[in-house]
Amino acid sequence: MTGVPLIIAFVVAIVIMILLISKLKVHPFLSIMGISLLLAVIAGIPLTQIPGIIGAGFSGTFTSIGIVIILGAFIGSVLEKTGAALKLADMVISLVGEKNPELAIELMGWVVSIPVFCDSGFVILNPIRKALVKRTGTSSVAMTVCLSCGLYIAHVFIPPTPGPIAAAQTLGVGENLLLVMGMGVLCSVLPLIAGLIYAKMVGKKIKSADEKTQTGEVVKTYEELKAEYGKLPGGLNAIAPLVVPILLMAISSVVSMAKWTGWLADFFTFLGTPIMALAVGTVLAIIQLLGAGKKGEFYDLTNDTLKTVGPILFVTAAGGVLGKVIASSDMVNFITEHASVLQAMGIFFPFLLAAILKSAQGSSTVAITTTAGIVAPLLSVLGFTSPVEISLVVMAIGAGAMTVSHANDSYFWVVTNFGEMTPEEGYKTQTLMTLIIGIAAMVEIFILNLIF
């Protein structure tokens, strides 16, 4: 199957999948895997190739973020166990004040996600989010949405995140990366504001599982929670398992952009890969655990972490299967062949194209790189020639690549599960939030396009 019928089949499949998960309460893993298999057959993928595609999609997800999620979750568990997360919450509150916890976590996410993938960033910062919820009494859902929003915006807009870098190079502004970074910062303003407003609104309507279980119970004050840990770790000790991996990944990105060579460059590139950077963070977390006198809890803490992330990993891998099925069908080719129909839309063309690809296969990075490849030969036709104009095209692609995050996106499941929300609540928070910030970003980009 190809053409419009395939597009319609995909839309119907997504609707059925959402209904299975939210209304019929079928487990997301079974729902996504079943729909992926059905869609593969309907799309006309040869039956002999389908098992290999499913296996590649499943294993590919584990290869990309599986170990990262496990290590990040372990670091988070240690930060909670030792009281370091509470110490970090104190440090954040001292900087922005107790009245702005949502803004604080949103900006933290935005900064962290510049060198770090949003999936990893959410796992890394989630303990701080939870501690801030306890520290300030703010809605857990609002804090989850704010953290996700800040991470996502930087992920699609600001190099050295791989997507924007690849798009800039493909579109011919790779040598003007500082301009692209500056444009990414500028284009982050309106979506950050829109995400913050929506997070505060939805936080009043939806309660996460951790909030629901507190109903009718005696909730300890923040001071009582701190007292249970005795003396909290020092600021440097508390922040090291988080900051060191981020710095290592940032240094690796600088080495890559500067095209440095030699053994020292290779060393930092090695340490800067997400897996190795978080491995270093894990070692620092273990040192922190030993320093807190909790050596005897090491095994149980590791075991509990694996039990927690197991369901997340399998559902995330199922989303990878759906994305792989879509990529193996004729859908992307069909969209590419008929891209000329959308050329009259100007700056909205790359946005819409990226949004279609994002919603279809789940990965923002894939949507960015694929759209950039399609748009590159059309830049002159669309009227974008100067570095500033082309940088705005990169931003438009990024805005589309976060519109929207749903069940076939690994980030959707990371946010939903670590935020302790049901899939249905995830659609009302994560999915709708990404729609809002995507549109807000595109409004700002359109205005900047008129100015420049």
Side-chain angles (χ1 to χ4, degrees):
M1 180 183 292
T2 186
V4 176
L6 179 57
I7 301 294
I8 295 174
F10 165 74
V11 173
V12 173
I14 294 299
V15 171
I16 294 174
M17 180 182 67
I18 292 173
L19 290 175
L20 286 173
I21 295 171
S22 61
K23 299 299 181 183
L24 301 181
K25 307 302 180 184
V26 177
H27 194 279
F29 177 78
L30 295 177
S31 300
I32 299 173
M33 291 295 289
I35 288 298
S36 299
L37 178 59
L38 180 62
L39 191 59
V41 174
I42 293 175
I45 297 175
L47 295 179
T48 54
Q49 296 181 16
I50 292 177
I53 291 171
I54 291 176
F58 196 86
S59 62
T61 302
F62 276 96
T63 301
S64 60
I65 64 170
I67 298 176
V68 167
I69 287 179
I70 292 172
L71 295 180
F74 178 79
I75 292 172
S77 296
V78 172
L79 291 179
E80 290 187 83
K81 179 64 69 174
T82 61
L86 296 179
K87 179 64 178 181
L88 293 173
D90 275 342
M91 295 167 65
V92 172
I93 290 299
S94 66
L95 290 175
V96 301
E98 293 190 16
K99 296 182 180 180
N100 302 295
E102 298 97 339
L103 177 61
I105 200 69
E106 184 182 46
L107 292 178
M108 285 175 65
W110 182 76
V111 171
V112 166
S113 196
I114 293 175
V116 180
F117 266 84
C118 55
D119 306 68
S120 308
F122 194 95
V123 175
I124 290 171
L125 296 179
N126 190 53
I128 300 179
R129 178 194 69 83
K130 294 172 71 174
L132 282 172
V133 169
K134 293 178 182 178
R135 175 74 171 84
T136 63
T138 308
S139 163
S140 177
V141 170
M143 294 290 281
T144 295
V145 174
C146 277
L147 176 57
S148 172
C149 174
L151 288 162
Y152 214 22
I153 290 170
H155 178 74
V156 300
F157 279 159
I158 307 176
T161 305
I165 283 184
Q169 291 176 339
T170 301
L171 297 177
V173 287
E175 299 299 322
N176 301 92
L177 210 53
L178 188 60
L179 172 62
V180 178
M181 295 177 71
M183 196 64 75
V185 172
L186 182 60
C187 291
S188 297
V189 176
L190 192 55
L192 283 171
I193 294 172
L196 179 63
I197 293 173
Y198 179 70
K200 290 186 175 183
M201 291 174 55
V202 78
K204 297 177 182 178
K205 300 177 181 179
I206 298 177
K207 301 296 181 184
S208 59
D210 56 339
E211 292 177 297
K212 294 173 184 176
T213 55
Q214 293 177 359
T215 304
E217 297 180 1
V218 178
V219 180
K220 298 176 182 177
T221 65
Y222 185 73
E223 286 69 25
E224 289 173 333
L225 288 171
K226 288 173 62 176
E228 290 181 355
Y229 292 99
K231 183 179 179 181
L232 295 181
L236 185 61
N237 186 22
I239 205 171
L242 297 179
V243 170
V244 171
I246 293 170
L247 288 176
L248 289 174
M249 286 185 270
I251 292 172
S252 176
S253 298
V254 171
V255 169
S256 177
M257 286 190 295
K259 298 180 180 179
W260 292 339
T261 58
W263 70 268
L264 190 60
D266 292 341
F267 177 72
F268 280 114
T269 300
F270 166 73
L271 288 181
T273 59
I275 290 176
M276 297 311 303
L278 284 171
V280 173
T282 300
V283 172
L284 294 174
I286 293 172
I287 293 173
Q288 184 183 110
L289 189 68
L290 298 177
K294 299 182 182 292
K295 177 183 177 181
E297 300 180 39
F298 182 35
Y299 181 89
D300 290 337
L301 189 65
T302 304
N303 200 40
D304 291 341
T305 299
L306 292 175
K307 290 179 180 178
T308 300
V309 301
I312 299 174
L313 288 173
F314 284 110
V315 172
T316 299
V321 171
L322 179 58
K324 189 68 174 180
V325 167
I326 294 298
S328 301
S329 72
D330 198 49
M331 184 181 297
V332 175
N333 291 333
F334 177 77
I335 294 172
T336 304
E337 292 170 1
H338 295 80
S340 58
V341 178
L342 303 176
Q343 290 180 24
M345 301 185 69
I347 194 67
F348 289 98
F349 166 64
F351 167 78
L352 182 58
L353 183 57
I356 293 171
L357 292 172
K358 162 63 181 177
S359 299
Q361 52 77 46
S363 169
S364 294
T365 302
V366 171
I368 290 174
T369 54
T370 304
T371 303
I374 297 171
V375 171
L378 303 174
L379 283 174
S380 59
V381 177
L382 293 170
F384 302 113
T385 55
S386 71
V388 172
E389 292 172 334
I390 296 175
S391 296
L392 281 173
V393 174
V394 175
M395 297 301 108
I397 293 173
M402 62 182 172
T403 315
V404 294
S405 172
H406 64 94
N408 67 345
D409 179 10
S410 64
Y411 189 50
F412 173 88
W413 296 109
V414 170
V415 173
T416 301
N417 283 280
F418 279 92
E420 299 190 46
M421 296 183 289
T422 65
E424 188 173 0
E425 290 167 342
Y427 299 134
K428 296 177 182 178
T429 54
Q430 172 71 1
T431 301
L432 193 51
M433 179 271 291
T434 55
L435 174 63
I436 291 171
I437 63 175
I439 293 174
M442 196 56 223
V443 169
E444 181 176 357
I445 292 167
F446 175 68
I447 294 172
L448 290 173
N449 184 56
L450 294 177
I451 296 173
F452 294 114

